[in-house]
């Protein structure tokens, strides 16, 4: 069927639903098994519902369902990718189809990085009025059926809820039932999807007129009260933020103030000035909804996209709270889910562009220190996948080392950790530098390293012990300790901790010899793994009853 398989290539594709009939007729179907997300939502700290301002990203690009619709990837050159997951809380996939089911590749990438994904339910123009009249003015049975279907769709495809956007006028009967519909949809999503969300877009008022308010007020508050949050329109002024905060009270973090990166209309900021809007929004303790950050790709072009993307998010970083990883194992090759080649064990196995967000790895923080350090993605060389993480910087005169924070962690430390690292120094004198890992712990007063007689490290910094060879029982799994090749160096470490809580994982680049001159370096990171020894040593679960379906022989 053309909905599920691309007519030219027969490959499985993601799809949307148009109109009320398609929505009500939807049933799970064996043809769309490919569209079910295979990656559960990773835990992270702080959790979504903690009380702090959040950041939502709403992805709207040329109507949606572009090359990202190919579930098993495509040979796309210079595709759009998003990878600053550590800095955001919610990802919305937006299009103008009635029911936008997020392409599963986005759900997989976001979930691997701990970010929930929402689809969009939208009605607009005259057709939207008719659609709303049919299901909202039709009474409880009609709107309940729509709420039930939307909740079932999110549950079946394993994404996390809906943005609801009613952009057309409503009759008195329809607007009267709208809060009841929102309440029912929210309750059904909460029960069908753990941690599910329903967010309302600032559009229709309580009397049914379509008039964007750019704030929370008495005209739209009834819709905010019926669901998990409000996404405001983009043309706000500072006094509206003040009024919104006052009216939202305890729920101020559930108001996502809209910021259009394309800066359409009378807005503050946009483009590389988006930080101006965020600064104001955060002054009032409100959450932010960044709309169409794909501006970087669409407006500035594909050529320097990765560089421009790092610049865009780097400018916003001080207004975004970062998220910690809180489960082990942590293993990543930093792949973006795209590349100009496919690498395996440091070797370029297959030249040619590819794009598959499901293959995107856990993404690190992307720290920038003006003039001292940049962290970026390198496509020309990788250990595994399509890219490595490139650290470029200078060690200042008189100093010996630079520390680059890759991940913030928040979890009790297991008694024994294995940490592995693969890296490659570039430049004329790679042997002038050493590269190592540093693990920091929270200062709990009880945290000890190694045996009970050792003294606690000042400020909780630990340098795991270098292992020339993996311990006997783990040799197979930790083949990493010996497996550097194609210019990559492999390192294996062990760290024993007692009563500690993990805080950060950083990479340290040091010079071999002290120097009174500043020294520049370029280091590629190919892979980092942090493993709990006990669970690695345990024998893996046996797998039973494997079935294969949807086989297509060519």
């Amino acid at each position: 069927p053309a909905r599920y398989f691309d007519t030219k290539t027969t490959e499985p594709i993601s799809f949307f639903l148009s109109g009320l009939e398609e929505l009500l007729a939807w049933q799970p179907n064996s043809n769309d098994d490919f569209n079910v997300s295979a990656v559960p939502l990773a835990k992270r700290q702080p959790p979504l519902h903690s009380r702090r301002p959040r950041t939502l990203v709403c992805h709207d690009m040329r109507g949606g369902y572009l090359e990202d619709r190919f579930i098993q990837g495509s040979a796309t050159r210079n595709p759009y990718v998003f990878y600053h997951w550590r800095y955001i809380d919610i990802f919305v996939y937006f299009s103008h189809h009635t029911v936008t089911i997020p392409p599963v590749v986005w759900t997989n990438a976001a979930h691997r990085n701990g970010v929930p994904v929402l689809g969009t339910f939208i009605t607009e123009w005259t057709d939207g009025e008719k659609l709303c009249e049919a299901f909202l003015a039709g009474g409880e049975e009609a709107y309940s059926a729509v709420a039930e279907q939307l909740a079932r769709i999110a549950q079946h495809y394993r994404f996390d809820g809906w943005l609801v956007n009613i952009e057309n006028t409503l009759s008195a009967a329809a607007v009267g039932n709208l809060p009841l519909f929102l309440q029912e949809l929210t309750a059904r999503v909460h029960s069908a999807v753990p941690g599910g969300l329903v967010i309302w877009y600032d559009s229709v008022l309580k009397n049914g007129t379509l008039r964007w308010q750019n704030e929370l007020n008495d005209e739209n508050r009834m819709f905010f009260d019926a669901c998990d949050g409000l996404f405001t329109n983009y043309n706000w002024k500072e006094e509206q933020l003040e009024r919104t905060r006052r009216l939202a009270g305890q729920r101020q973090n559930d108001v996502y103030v809209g910021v259009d990166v394309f800066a359409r209309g009378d807005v503050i900021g946009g483009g590389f000035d988006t930080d101006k809007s965020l600064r104001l929004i955060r002054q009032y303790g409100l959450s932010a909804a960044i709309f169409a950050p794909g501006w970087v790709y669409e407006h500035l072009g594909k050529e320097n996209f990765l560089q421009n993307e790092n610049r865009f998010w780097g400018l916003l970083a001080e207004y975004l709270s970062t998220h910690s990883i809180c489960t082990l194992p942590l293993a990543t090759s930093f792949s973006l889910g795209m590349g100009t080649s496919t690498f395996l064990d440091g070797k370029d196995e297959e030249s040619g562009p590819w794009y598959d967000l499901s293959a995107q790895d856990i993404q690190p923080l992307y720290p920038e220190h003006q003039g001292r350090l940049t962290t970026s993605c390198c496509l020309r060389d990788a250990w595994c996948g399509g890219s490595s993480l490139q650290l470029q910087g200078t060690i200042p005169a008189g100093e010996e080392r630079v520390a680059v924070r890759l991940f913030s962690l928040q979890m009790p430390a297991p008694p024994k950790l294995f940490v592995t690292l693969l890296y490659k120094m570039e430049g004329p004198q790679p042997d002038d530098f050493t590269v190592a890992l540093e693990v920091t712990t929270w200062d709990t007063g009880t945290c000890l390293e190694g045996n009970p007689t050792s003294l606690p490290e000042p400020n909780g910094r630990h340098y795991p012990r270098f292992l020339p060879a993996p311990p006997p029982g783990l040799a197979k799994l930790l083949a990493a300790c010996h497996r550097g090749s194609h210019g990559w160096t492999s390192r294996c470490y062990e760290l024993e901790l007692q009563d500690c809580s993990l805080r950060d994982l950083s990479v340290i680049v040091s010079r071999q010899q002290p120097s009174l001159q500043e020294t520049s370096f370029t280091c590629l990171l190919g892979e980092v793994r942090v493993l709990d020894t006990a669970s690695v040593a345990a024998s893996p679960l046996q797998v039973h009853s494997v079935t294969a379906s949807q086989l297509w022989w060519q």
Side-chain angles (χ1 to χ4, degrees):
R3 173 188 284 174
Y4 305 110
F5 299 98
D6 182 54
T7 44
K8 290 196 189 76
T9 64
T10 74
E11 288 175 22
I13 49 174
S14 293
F15 60 89
F16 50 85
L17 302 174
S18 304
L20 198 55
E21 295 70 28
E22 281 194 11
L23 169 59
L24 293 173
W26 175 86
Q27 288 296 341
N29 172 320
S30 64
N31 281 320
D32 70 7
D33 285 351
F34 289 112
N35 277 287
V36 177
S37 170
V39 182
L41 179 59
K43 288 190 169 65
R44 61 187 340 208
Q45 287 290 346
L48 183 65
H49 295 292
S50 58
R51 290 184 53 186
R52 68 197 154 79
R54 306 181 197 112
T55 306
L56 175 152
V57 159
C58 189
H59 173 65
D60 172 30
M61 188 173 280
R62 303 200 306 274
Y65 301 96
L66 306 172
E67 292 80 7
D68 54 4
R69 74 186 186 280
F70 289 102
I71 296 169
Q72 296 175 335
S74 64
T76 305
R77 199 173 288 284
N78 299 325
Y80 176 73
V81 290
F82 178 81
Y83 50 93
H84 284 82
W85 300 110
R86 297 270 134 242
Y87 301 88
I88 75 163
D89 295 275
I90 300 167
F91 182 85
V92 179
Y93 194 88
F94 183 89
S95 83
H96 290 274
H97 303 289
T98 314
V99 178
T100 298
I101 298 167
V104 65
V105 296
W106 281 105
T107 308
N108 287 339
H111 279 186
R112 187 169 289 125
N113 286 282
V115 175
V117 176
L118 308 186
T120 307
F121 176 58
I122 191 172
T123 67
E124 46 192 348
W125 313 107
T126 331
D127 286 350
E129 281 181 46
K130 289 181 192 147
L131 194 150
C132 289
E133 199 57 25
F135 90 93
L136 283 172
E140 187 177 353
E141 196 178 328
Y143 70 70
S144 280
V146 169
E148 183 183 2
Q149 283 294 77
L150 289 172
R152 283 180 69 211
I153 287 170
Q155 181 184 42
H156 177 69
Y157 296 115
R158 299 186 189 158
F159 62 96
D160 307 284
W162 296 98
L163 172 69
V164 178
N165 189 354
I166 307 287
E167 299 227 41
N168 45 255
T169 352
L170 295 177
S171 67
V175 81
N177 282 331
L178 182 53
L180 300 172
F181 162 68
L182 280 176
Q183 269 169 3
E184 176 149 357
L185 173 62
T186 306
R188 283 182 182 271
V189 165
H190 287 181
S191 87
V193 178
L197 287 171
V198 173
I199 291 176
W200 168 257
Y201 184 73
D202 155 30
S203 49
V204 177
L205 309 183
K206 62 184 181 188
N207 64 5
T209 354
L210 174 63
R211 200 164 65 239
W212 299 270
Q213 298 298 289
N214 306 297
E215 65 178 313
L216 172 67
N217 60 26
D218 286 332
E219 300 291 325
N220 59 18
R221 182 183 182 163
M222 62 200 300
F223 309 122
F224 174 61
D225 290 342
C227 67
D228 295 308
L230 167 76
F231 178 151
T232 78
N233 194 46
Y234 313 103
N235 307 108
W236 45 269
K237 295 285 169 274
E238 189 171 351
E239 58 271 19
Q240 290 170 297
L241 300 181
E242 168 65 53
R243 292 201 294 264
T244 295
R245 178 178 66 178
R246 253 202 327 269
L247 191 60
Q250 295 286 305
R251 285 191 70 200
Q252 66 186 38
N253 302 146
D254 295 338
V255 178
Y256 299 84
V257 179
V259 177
D260 179 6
V261 181
F262 278 85
R264 292 163 277 211
D266 179 14
V267 302
I268 293 168
F272 284 127
D273 289 328
T274 299
D275 57 321
K276 291 179 180 156
S277 353
L278 276 185
R279 184 181 309 126
L280 276 174
I281 292 167
R282 297 307 196 216
Q283 273 172 20
Y284 291 93
L286 300 166
S287 291
I290 300 174
F291 183 75
W295 169 85
V296 175
Y297 182 84
E298 293 187 72
H299 180 71
L300 301 174
K302 305 173 178 184
E303 280 60 48
N304 292 322
F305 166 61
L306 295 175
Q307 206 178 330
N308 291 328
E309 181 77 342
N310 287 346
R311 181 183 164 204
F312 177 81
W313 289 97
L315 290 167
L316 303 185
E318 66 174 293
Y319 305 108
L320 307 174
S321 59
T322 58
H323 295 80
S324 307
I325 286 175
C326 57
T327 51
L328 293 180
L330 162 59
T332 181
S333 301
F334 307 104
S335 182
L336 294 176
M338 63 163 279
T340 49
S341 277
T342 306
F343 293 87
L344 186 61
D345 292 345
K347 181 169 177 257
D348 183 344
E349 289 279 332
E350 195 181 337
S351 256
W354 64 276
Y355 177 46
D356 179 1
L357 286 169
S358 289
Q360 189 184 79
D361 261 317
I362 293 175
Q363 292 299 307
L365 297 163
Y366 281 86
E368 297 275 326
H369 302 297
Q370 269 349 103
R372 291 272 304 273
L373 174 78
T374 58
T375 317
S376 57
C377 314
C378 171
L379 298 176
R380 65 191 152 69
D381 198 356
W383 174 255
C384 179
S387 54
S388 56
L389 189 70
Q390 177 172 284
L391 313 176
Q392 265 183 314
T394 52
I395 300 176
E399 290 183 27
E400 284 175 26
R401 40 173 261 166
V402 168
V404 185
R405 192 165 75 117
L406 297 180
F407 291 100
S408 76
L409 308 168
Q410 201 167 334
M411 62 188 117
K416 196 186 265 189
L417 285 173
F418 277 121
V419 189
T420 67
L421 168 68
L422 272 151
Y423 69 91
K424 180 184 277 194
M425 289 306 296
E426 297 201 315
Q429 285 142 327
D431 298 339
D432 289 358
F433 300 94
T434 55
V435 180
L437 288 170
E438 174 187 89
V439 175
T440 58
T441 52
W442 293 93
D443 183 13
T444 56
T446 58
C447 173
L448 297 174
E449 183 179 330
N451 57 30
T453 56
S454 68
L455 293 168
E457 278 288 332
N459 65 23
R461 294 181 187 284
H462 308 277
Y463 302 98
R465 189 164 61 87
F466 175 59
L467 294 177
L474 297 175
K476 199 166 165 192
L477 193 118
L478 293 180
C481 302
H482 294 304
R483 60 190 184 145
S485 59
H486 301 282
W488 292 89
T489 303
S490 173
R491 289 277 183 265
C492 219
Y493 306 92
E494 184 179 63
L495 180 61
E496 292 185 55
L497 295 168
Q498 290 188 352
D499 302 326
C500 299
S501 186
L502 300 178
R503 181 176 187 164
D504 284 314
L505 177 69
S506 303
V507 71
I508 309 286
V509 180
S510 317
R511 357 174 192 233
Q512 296 275 29
Q513 301 296 327
S515 166
L516 295 173
Q517 279 165 0
E518 64 171 37
T519 319
S520 302
F521 65 85
T522 301
C523 174
L524 301 183
L525 297 185
E527 183 190 75
V528 167
R529 300 192 292 177
V530 182
L531 311 172
D532 172 356
T533 311
S535 62
V536 172
S539 51
L541 295 170
Q542 292 301 306
V543 177
H544 297 285
S545 323
V546 175
T547 60
S549 61
Q550 297 289 3
L551 300 175
W552 182 263
W553 300 102
Q554 289 184 331

